[in-house]
Amino acid sequence: MSPTLVPLADAAETVDYAATTFLIVCASFVLLMTIPGLALFYGGLTRAKSILNMMMMSFGAAGVVGIVYVLWGYSMSFGTQDVAGIIANPFEKFGLAGTDGIVNPFGYEGYGNIPELAFVGFQMTFAIITVALISGAVADRIKFSTWLVFAPLWVTLAYFPIAHMVWGGGLLGGGETSLSGLVFGSTDGEANVAPIDFAGGTVVHINAGMAALVLALVVGTRVGFGKVPMRPHNVPLVMIGAGLLWFGWFGFNAGSELAADETAALVWVNTTVATCAAMLGWLVVEKIRDGHATSVGAASGVVAGLVAITPACGSLSPVGSIVLGLVAGGLAALAVGLKYKFGYDDSLDVVGVHLVAGLWGTVGAGLLATEGGLFYGGGFEQTAVQILVAIAALLVSGVVTLVIALALKATMGWRIPEDVEVSGIDQTEHAESAYELTARGGRIGGASGTAGARAPEETHDLEGAKG
Amino acid sequence: MKLVTAIIKPHQLDEVKEALEAFGIQGMTISEAQGYGRQRGHSEVYRGAEYTVDFVPKTRLEVLVDDMDSSSVLDVILKAAQTGRIGDGKVWVTPVEDIARVRTGERGVEAI
């Protein structure tokens, strides 16, 4: 991802249609990752009584974050009026003012002119999935209303600043005044050792993973956590979701090149092999530790691999990507057990998968980068920068999330009543149930505003309801 | 009149049904059930966390029969449901006081 978008002064310049098509299609892929990919992945992992609430947290995040992104999110992330390297002025491009032109992420290399709005759309889908990822940590037990207030607050105070810091020319980028520029010096306005985060290891995965950990701690454990079985209720949905995530991730990673060029092709291959290796890495750990290679393990390994290769995919060789993926799958498989050891209820393992694999991918990029990587004779500097950036992202995300989570706890409250949680959040928060398998009859009407409110006095048995 | 109830392995249902039809039984009712006996449950592993599943899926089959058929029907089910492995289930016979066919109102043996 190239952080600086160069506006084109010359009106004669036209868009690069190949790059523009590529970017719009990739943006659509990334939206598919959240809806329905992540919604299905998470939904299948919950219990049957709370799948709808789980899926609704992804849908709800999309609804809120999409609007916020257009209003002030894009301006805060990629605006030109930088404030202390932390955010950009939210009012500069408020409501996408002045974004109807053509920009070039490559600084006039003869290709890659794209409408700024294509870039806006692409980046919007990243903000959406990052918020949706967090929801896995708080399955089954939080008020939907509190979630819908958390989403815009968190994306505004944590995501947009970190996106600006990493991609918008801020503190965690590769500029003269960035953290790495200050530590390792800079030449001609560019840091000597620029951090590597091609598609969002820090911005998306470390950020969401850390937020998930903090939120799980503030919200508390589910009723019966560690005592009653909470096994995934629909494993095929988990695998469909993982498959859609994998597919959509091509838009996420290859799309981050912002043009259909040789780097995008390398990224596609790296994304695929790292994911293959991570799936196998997870399964090997499971086979040795538990005696079986499981379906949920394969699906989780896929996601861990995709997370790990995200920051590194533009800097590694395909063979280096295999190594990165293999380690990612194994590490994440070991990390998902930590929550039982430490007693935090990160329900669907956002920490074990996204935070751990995201940290490894960010640090691993420093080790395995073909240019400047430690294992390629580049010395320790790149890895040091990667660690520095990862720690900074952890701190910002952790502190901001803690403040928001505690504020909401003191005001709206996070938890639904305990008896409601036990009987199932779907029925009380959404007045629905996911599965109707018993055909147990019932009658129309009751709630206001439904057709039944005007129905004749006699009640009808639903036709065919009685077997 | 007797009610023969059998708890069998779900995948033995077709064999039992065919054997009962061959014997001349006209109808039966089945339901999905869960339970355990000497077989106990089994364990499953999700992301490294092991869960013990106590109740194993079973099929519950119910047939109403005339007094004189009950012992033979029990034998038919026994033979068809048997795999010889643990968890094959149980069959039992209970007396039935009265039966009515809802459509016609026939009572007793006529309603079987």
Side-chain angles (χ1 to χ4, degrees), chain A residues 80-136:
Chain A
T80 56
Q81 299 169 3
D82 178 85
V83 182
I86 294 170
I87 56 161
N89 180 0
F91 304 108
E92 181 199 0
K93 297 184 176 182
F94 187 90
L96 299 185
T99 57
D100 52 353
I102 297 169
V103 292
N104 190 309
F106 300 96
Y108 299 99
E109 285 179 17
Y111 73 110
N113 290 348
I114 49 170
E116 190 168 1
L117 282 173
F119 182 71
V120 171
F122 184 66
Q123 288 299 331
M124 178 200 289
T125 60
F126 278 57
I128 288 172
I129 195 166
T130 307
V131 176
L133 283 172
I134 303 168
S135 66

Side-chain angles (χ1 to χ4, degrees), chain A residues 245-306:
Chain A
L245 281 166
W246 192 342
F247 179 80
W249 225 291
F250 294 131
F252 197 94
N253 283 2
S256 289
E257 171 62 6
L258 305 176
D261 59 13
E262 61 271 40
T263 304
L266 173 72
V267 167
W268 197 103
V269 173
N270 285 350
T271 301
T272 304
V273 285
T275 306
C276 297
M279 174 174 29
L280 296 181
W282 188 300
L283 292 180
V284 165
V285 168
E286 275 194 335
K287 180 70 185 168
I288 293 169
R289 185 185 57 190
D290 315 320
H292 303 278
T294 70
S295 314
V296 172
S300 311
V302 162
V303 176
L306 290 163

Side-chain angles (χ1 to χ4, degrees), chain B residues 2-6 8 12-31 59-65 73 76-77 80 101 111-112:
Chain B
K2 297 276 198 274
L3 172 67
V4 182
T5 306
I8 59 173
Q12 291 300 112
L13 177 62
D14 279 344
E15 270 187 56
V16 172
K17 176 175 154 280
E18 276 160 30
L20 285 171
E21 279 171 351
F23 179 80
I25 294 294
Q26 304 283 331
M28 65 195 77
T29 302
I30 62 149
S31 42
T59 298
R60 178 192 184 103
L61 177 135
E62 287 161 307
V63 194
L64 286 164
V65 294
V73 165
V76 167
I77 296 175
R101 175 170 281 121
I112 289 177

Side-chain angles (χ1 to χ4, degrees), chain A residues 41 229-232 289 300 348-349, chain B residues 44-49 51-53:
Chain A
F41 181 71
M230 295 175 176
R231 60 194 158 119
R289 185 185 57 190
S300 311
L348 310 182
D349 301 309
Chain B
E44 298 182 359
V45 185
Y46 299 96
R47 283 185 172 167
Y51 299 99
T52 305
V53 181

Side-chain angles (χ1 to χ4, degrees), chain A residues 197-225:
Chain A
D197 186 1
F198 193 81
T202 45
V203 182
V204 176
H205 298 291
I206 293 179
N207 195 0
M210 188 62 189
L213 177 61
V214 172
L215 209 55
L217 287 169
V218 172
V219 167
T221 60
R222 285 170 289 180
V223 177
F225 173 68

Side-chain angles (χ1 to χ4, degrees), chain B residues 57-78:
Chain B
K58 296 286 170 190
T59 298
R60 178 192 184 103
L61 177 135
E62 287 161 307
V63 194
L64 286 164
V65 294
D66 202 348
D67 286 336
M68 59 185 184
D69 287 338
S70 66
S71 158
S72 322
V73 165
L74 186 143
D75 284 338
V76 167
I77 296 175
L78 198 62

